[in-house]
Structure formats: C-alpha cells, structure tokens
Amino acid sequence: MMDNLRTAANSVVLKIIFGIIIVSFILTGVSGYLIGGNSNYAAKVNDKEIGRGQFENAVASERNRMQQQLGDQFSELAANENYIKTMRQQVLNRLIDEALLDQYARKLNLGISDEQVKKAIFATPAFQNNGKFDNTRYNALVNQMGMTADQYAQALRNQLTTQQLINAVAGTDFMLKGETDELAAMVAQQRVVRAATIDVNALAAKQTVSDQEITSYYEQNKSQFMSPEQFRVSYIKLDAASMQQDASDAEIQAYYDQHQDQFTQPQRNRYSVIQTKTEAEAKAVLDALNKGGDFAVLAKEKSSDIISARNGGDMGWLEESTTPEELKNAGLKEKGQLSGVITSSVGFLVARLTDIEPAKVKPLAEVRDDLAAKVKQEKALDAYYALQQKVSEAASNDNVSLVGAEQAAGVKAVETGWFGRDNLPEELNFKPVSDAIFNGGLIGENGTPGSNSDIITVDGDRAFVVRVSEHKPEAVKPLDAVKAQVTDIVKHNKAQQQAKLDADKMLAELKAGKDDAFKAAGLSFGEAKTLTRTAQDPLTQATFALALPAKDKPVYGVANDAQGNVVLLALDEVKAGTMPDDQKKAMVQGITQNNAQITFEALMNNLRKEAKIKTGDIIDPQQ
C-alpha cells in the first residue's frame, strides 16, 4: 500500500509548486517529528532531543495561527516581550508533551497501518481541490516544508499513533445505567417552595442616620466616589478620500504604458506526460507513439504516475514559472510535438506539448475605468501625503495652538465636549489616537498648556493632529457633592442588617413551630412555586440547598433575592423529575468528557514526573 503512495508522491506532476502557499497550519505538530536535534537543543525528553530548529518552526506556526486569528490585534501583543516569552514557553511545553505521548504510545506498542495513513492523507482538506485529493497540491505543500512524501507519511503515522493513545484514554470513562438514572433524577428534581419577602428598601426609608455615620462611611469608602479623568480635545482631520482629483487621458495612457505587465497574461503551455521506471519502457512508449498510438490511452496503461495517468497524462496549463525544468529543457516548441526520452529525478518521461496559449495584453479600452480609478487614487494619496507633511511641520513650529496647522490644512479645528477614557468620541475612536490622548504626553505639567501631537495615521488613509484643550485629573468628589448618595447607602446597609436579624429570629421561631414574630412583622408566605435546578437565581440555589422536608412538615430557610431583599423560604415538597433520553445522553457525554480530561491530565502529570526533561536556553526570542 505504501508503495503506491510512494509512487504517487514521486511524480513529475508533484514538482509543480503553485506560487506562494501558506502551509504552516497543515503541519503544526507533525513536521516536528522529523526535524532532528542539534547541539543547540530546545529540550531533551528522556532519549529524545527536540532541536532548536524544530522549536523555532513550531513558534513560527503558532505566530501564523495567532496572526490569522487576531489580525492587527496580534501585532500589539507581539510587541509585548512578556507575551512572546509566555507563548514560546507554551509552545515548548506542547512539544515536550507531544514527545512524552509519542514515547508512551511506543511503549504500549500502539500502531497505525499503511491504509490508515493513506486515508488520512487523502482526507486532509489542504491536500484537496474541489473536494478531491490533489496529488500535485499535496507534493507542493510537502516539498515546501523540505520533506519527502515518505517523511510526511511517517510523521503523520506518529501523530495518528499519539491520537490513538489520546482516544484510548478519553474512552476509558463511562457511567453505569443506574448511576445515569440516579443522576438524571437528581438533576431533574423539582422543589415546591413558598416565600415571604422582607422589603429592604421599605426598611431603608424608615432608617435614620447621623452625620458621624455619613462622614465615617465616606472616609472609609472614598474610592466609591471618584470623579473620573476628563478631557476636551481639539483636532484636525485629514482624509485622502476627500482629496480625489480627475485623471486626464494622458495620465491614464502613461500609467497603462508603465504597468503593462499588470495587464499581460503570459504564455501558457499545456503538457501531457507518460512516466516510466526504466529507460527501456520509455523508449517503448515513444516508439508506440511514433507509430500512431493514442497518447491518452498509453498514459493510462503505461504511466507509473498514477495521478496524471488517470487524466490521460494531462498536466493542465502551466506558465513559465510553474513548468518543471525537465519540460523546459525538452525542446518542445510546436503544438503536438513529442519529446524524446527525458531522464528525470522521478524516472523517465515522454512528454507532448498538447497546446499553446500565447501571451496577450488587455487593450487600454478594456481596463480604462480601472486605470482611471487607480490614477485618481494615486493623485489623491500624493496630495494627502504632501498635506500631511505640511500640517505636521506647522503643528510642530506652532506648538502652543493649532492655528498654524489650521492654516496649513485649510480647515478649522474641531473641539469636542468633555469625555473620559470609556467614552471617546466616535470620530476619534482609533487606538493610535486614543493612545496619544490618554498616555499623558499631550498634557502640560502643573496646569501649564500641553503640546500638539505629531501626525497620527489610522486605517483608511486618514490622519489626525490632536491637542488637549482642557484636562481634569481623577479626583475624589467632595462629601457635600455626594452626601445624599452616601446617606442612601448607609440607610440601605442598616436596613439590610436589620432585615437579616429579623429574619434569623423569625426562622428560629418557625423551626420551633411558632410564628409570632412572623405575623407581627406583617409577613405571610406567598403561593407555592415549583422550581427546577436549571434556574440560576439566588432563591432557587438556596431552595435546592435546603434539607428534604418530612411529609406535611416544611423545611425553612433564609436567603437573599436578586434585588437584595431578605427572603424566608418554606420548602413543602420535593418531586422526582424525569429527563428526556437525548438530554440524558448529552449530560452523560459532558460528564464523561470532563472525567476523561481529568484522567488525561493525570496521565500527563505522571509522564512528566517520571521523565527526564532538560530544557535549553531558548525561551527568549532569537536575536
């Protein structure tokens, strides 16, 4: 089976590399099995060495993954040295764990068959074209990693073996039917409860507080009464989109003449090949072709390249940059021309130049509208960058106001109202602008005027010059300004304390079979409600924490509701619940997966404790 895979991989078709292909995500955790160690190792795990090259490749793969996931945000994270160190440490830990799992799998004599490896390769989406395995794409991607097909197959075998171990561990946890039914009944349980609420707000309205209590609370909790830092800003905005200019016929023609390579489709050739293992076989094929044999039929019958043979030897359209050297040097110039026997790195070839598509240049009329738009954009950008420079110099020369910058820009500065860090005006809501405003560099010391910012560029070919007009630092609000607020808080706190004391007294009496204090407070239990565990409110959680009631004898408790009121509870009845089979199945699956994760972590902890692991000095990025 592996012979067929090797035959397919050693094909001339697979020597065609398609442009620039991003492949790091495909082989993350795979190519590491093949990169040998060196004296400058990243880590030694028992008898296996993780080389620095392997480690740096894995770090690069992780960076690529994070870049694709986070976009521009990753650039900000990557500038943080501690973040990069943490990421590199995580990558190293993962490589060490992979090595430990690989070694443990070998110890257990786990294995993956040739057929399983082949199926895994054919099923990899990155190796497919229109949902079907593409041998050309497969070899191109593997070659870009500096690997042979056999090396990749062995690396994949190692990875699948490790996955087999992980699956085995994950499949060890299970629940018996009795356990499942008992747990489902408990989860689906229902409780019938009545509630009597002590309204804390009503109690608070009756409370009295002294000036000393108000002052004491204020002094101990000043951080609750802060006036946030505030800014007022003047700014000038430059926008390339507002600087659009007309494009003349002469400018469009000049752009077309200078960039004809952008509108030229280079010559493409279409080749067909028959690949053989020996020169004698190739000569026999060539002889049959010269006698009138059908190329496609002979390719399907004779070619050892199982991919191109399936297509009658056709390799599709190839440009100069994607044509293998063997075909470039075959001397094929005319449509339908046959080569001689070609010696190649994959055996022997007979090739035919099936078709030729000459180079062609799109006429100006066909691309004129696109060119006009490009010329207009370039002229606008030229004007935008020139104005940027002019405004930047003016803002720097006149650093005590924006008057000079206004004159240079030809617009008046816009002044905002007061705002804080959490409500930056939408027009200025760009990270480079917010950083300039809030980092303190534009604010004068001890009340002195601040300075103009330099040109701040943001996405979309826009730029700002900013000046902080006024600034109020963060400060504690005076007591007089917040006295009413403090008074309400103190009253509410006293009401909560009173409600809790009253509730505890009533609870003790109710448990003793008395209700004098309960009635004296004007309280009564409301209508019975049936609660389920799925609700996450405080009263439901408190209800399910109560002990089971005896027949016709409620169990009492005290809790707080979501509004902060104190609530007396009377649990009357507990009902057994039922759970649908699909919901029960999902519950069991979640529990077993969680338990499997715990088991797997325990396995990894044991493997790490028993292993001899030595790390190199590689966490800091290479200089």
Side-chain angles (χ1 to χ4, degrees):
M1 199 63 70
M2 288 300 291
D3 288 338
N4 290 336
L5 187 59
R6 280 189 282 271
T7 301
N10 289 325
S11 160
V12 67
V13 178
L14 303 184
K15 298 185 70 178
I16 302 168
I17 307 300
F18 293 109
I20 300 174
I21 305 174
I22 301 175
V23 297
S24 61
F25 70 95
I26 301 171
L27 300 176
T28 300
V30 174
S31 61
Y33 288 105
L34 301 173
I35 304 172
N38 52 56
S39 57
N40 191 11
Y41 61 86
K44 290 181 179 178
V45 184
N46 296 319
D47 59 347
K48 178 177 180 178
E49 185 173 293
I50 301 172
R52 179 155 192 158
Q54 174 186 348
F55 170 71
E56 294 298 343
N57 279 352
V59 170
S61 294
E62 180 65 11
R63 288 179 68 100
N64 287 341
R65 187 185 70 80
M66 295 298 294
Q67 181 69 58
Q68 292 174 8
Q69 179 178 330
L70 300 177
D72 293 340
Q73 185 181 354
F74 179 71
S75 299
E76 301 171 21
L77 293 173
N80 185 317
E81 183 179 348
N82 289 330
Y83 174 83
I84 294 299
K85 284 184 177 181
T86 300
M87 183 192 74
R88 290 172 67 86
Q89 183 64 61
Q90 290 172 344
V91 170
L92 181 60
N93 291 343
R94 190 188 71 221
L95 291 176
I96 291 172
D97 286 349
E98 288 175 356
L100 289 169
L101 285 171
D102 181 45
Q103 292 169 5
Y104 188 58
R106 293 175 186 276
K107 182 178 179 181
L108 297 178
N109 293 320
L110 298 180
I112 297 294
S113 69
D114 292 350
E115 183 64 23
Q116 287 173 298
V117 173
K118 182 178 179 181
K119 286 182 178 179
I121 291 175
F122 281 18
T124 301
F127 297 151
Q128 295 176 355
N129 188 10
N130 294 326
K132 295 182 179 180
F133 175 72
D134 187 330
N135 206 19
T136 305
R137 183 176 180 83
Y138 164 67
N139 200 58
L141 295 177
V142 171
N143 284 349
Q144 279 198 347
M145 294 301 295
M147 300 163 63
T148 68
D150 284 350
Q151 285 177 322
Y152 178 78
Q154 183 56 45
L156 184 58
R157 187 191 303 276
N158 291 345
Q159 187 185 46
L160 292 174
T161 302
T162 301
Q163 188 61 48
Q164 186 182 59
L165 170 62
I166 293 173
N167 292 341
V169 173
T172 58
D173 194 81
F174 63 91
M175 291 181 63
L176 298 174
K177 186 179 185 305
E179 294 176 320
T180 301
D181 293 341
E182 184 177 344
L183 180 61
M186 184 176 68
V187 171
Q189 185 185 90
Q190 298 176 330
R191 295 198 168 195
V192 180
V193 67
R194 292 170 292 138
T197 301
I198 301 175
D199 189 336
V200 171
N201 288 333
L203 278 179
K206 301 175 181 178
Q207 301 295 319
T208 59
V209 294
S210 66
D211 287 342
Q212 183 179 355
E213 288 175 313
I214 294 172
T215 301
S216 175
Y217 185 89
Y218 172 78
E219 291 295 335
Q220 294 174 26
N221 299 276
K222 284 185 176 181
S223 60
Q224 296 182 20
F225 310 106
M226 298 297 294
S227 176
E229 185 179 25
Q230 295 283 296
F231 298 81
R232 285 181 65 188
V233 165
S234 297
Y235 67 91
I236 295 172
K237 177 184 177 182
L238 308 179
D239 191 345
S242 66
M243 301 180 185
Q244 289 286 350
Q245 303 179 37
D246 291 333
S248 67
D249 290 341
E251 289 172 325
I252 294 172
Q253 182 68 54
Y255 189 97
Y256 178 77
D257 293 339
Q258 295 169 14
H259 301 86
Q260 281 208 1
D261 59 314
Q262 297 180 12
F263 318 110
T264 300
Q265 167 68 55
Q267 177 177 316
R268 301 194 304 168
N269 295 332
R270 190 160 193 159
Y271 295 94
S272 294
V273 298
I274 298 174
Q275 179 178 316
T276 64
K277 295 181 179 180
T278 67
E279 185 175 9
E281 290 173 328
K283 288 180 178 180
V285 167
L286 182 59
D287 184 54
L289 291 171
N290 287 328
K291 291 179 179 179
D294 185 284
F295 196 101
V297 172
L298 285 169
K300 291 178 180 179
E301 293 177 351
K302 305 293 185 180
S303 183
S304 59
D305 174 11
I306 61 176
I307 302 300
S308 64
R310 187 184 306 166
N311 300 319
D314 181 34
M315 297 174 61
W317 289 103
L318 303 176
E319 295 181 5
E320 174 75 15
S321 60
T322 59
T323 302
E325 290 298 323
E326 293 95 334
L327 297 183
K328 288 181 183 179
N329 300 329
L332 301 178
K333 303 296 182 184
E334 298 179 4
K335 182 177 177 179
Q337 183 180 354
L338 284 173
S339 71
V341 174
I342 302 171
T343 302
S344 77
S345 60
V346 295
F348 298 89
L349 308 173
V350 176
R352 180 181 68 184
L353 179 55
T354 306
D355 203 354
I356 299 173
E357 186 179 273
K360 53 185 178 183
V361 180
K362 291 182 180 179
L364 175 59
E366 187 177 330
V367 296
R368 190 182 191 285
D369 290 344
D370 290 340
L371 293 188
K374 288 183 179 180
V375 172
K376 289 179 181 179
Q377 184 182 27
E378 288 195 358
K379 291 179 69 176
L381 287 175
D382 288 343
Y384 167 70
Y385 291 127
L387 185 61
Q388 257 195 48
Q389 182 64 32
K390 185 178 177 182
V391 172
S392 176
E393 292 175 355
S396 177
N397 293 335
D398 179 10
N399 204 22
V400 297
S401 74
L402 287 178
V403 173
E406 288 177 325
Q407 294 173 349
V411 297
K412 296 292 289 182
V414 177
E415 186 166 65
T416 70
W418 287 102
F419 62 87
R421 293 175 181 268
D422 58 350
N423 63 336
L424 185 69
E426 184 64 28
E427 182 75 354
L428 300 176
N429 195 14
F430 302 95
K431 190 175 187 307
V433 178
S434 65
D435 286 347
I437 294 172
F438 297 136
N439 69 8
L442 303 182
I443 301 172
E445 295 183 3
N446 300 321
T448 60
S451 59
N452 299 333
S453 74
D454 197 355
I455 284 285
I456 306 168
T457 59
V458 300
D459 292 340
D461 295 321
R462 290 165 291 182
F464 294 84
V465 175
V466 176
R467 180 178 184 82
V468 176
S469 306
E470 293 184 78
H471 173 248
K472 296 178 182 177
E474 183 182 50
V476 178
K477 295 178 182 178
L479 177 56
D480 289 345
V482 295
K483 188 172 183 178
Q485 181 184 357
V486 175
T487 300
D488 288 342
I489 294 173
V490 174
K491 284 184 176 182
H492 194 271
N493 289 347
K494 293 178 72 173
Q496 276 191 322
Q497 292 173 4
Q498 179 184 331
K500 185 64 172 64
L501 290 172
D502 292 345
D504 288 343
K505 180 180 178 181
M506 296 176 201
L507 178 63
E509 288 190 355
L510 288 170
K511 288 181 177 180
K514 301 177 182 179
D515 61 0
D516 297 343
F518 187 72
K519 290 181 177 179
L523 294 176
S524 62
F525 286 109
E527 293 183 3
K529 293 182 179 181
T530 302
L531 305 180
T532 63
R533 289 183 186 273
T534 54
Q536 296 298 312
D537 62 280
L539 290 185
T540 298
Q541 294 179 4
T543 299
F544 276 89
L546 295 175
L548 299 180
K551 183 175 178 58
D552 298 326
K553 188 174 182 181
V555 170
Y556 297 101
V558 174
N560 291 93
D561 66 13
Q563 291 73 42
N565 297 312
V566 177
V567 181
L568 286 157
L569 300 172
L571 175 60
D572 296 322
E573 183 182 359
V574 174
K575 298 179 180 180
T578 59
M579 182 180 291
D581 289 342
D582 57 344
Q583 187 177 342
K584 188 185 299 185
K585 182 178 179 181
M587 178 191 73
V588 172
Q589 184 178 12
I591 293 172
T592 55
Q593 286 179 346
N594 182 67
N595 291 345
Q597 179 65 32
I598 295 172
T599 303
F600 184 75
E601 278 299 317
L603 169 64
M604 291 307 305
N605 287 335
N606 287 335
L607 292 178
R608 293 185 197 108
K609 288 178 181 178
E610 295 174 1
K612 295 180 180 179
I613 301 174
K614 184 178 180 182
T615 59
D617 186 16
I618 44 73
I619 297 305
D620 287 326
Q622 287 182 303
Q623 302 298 320

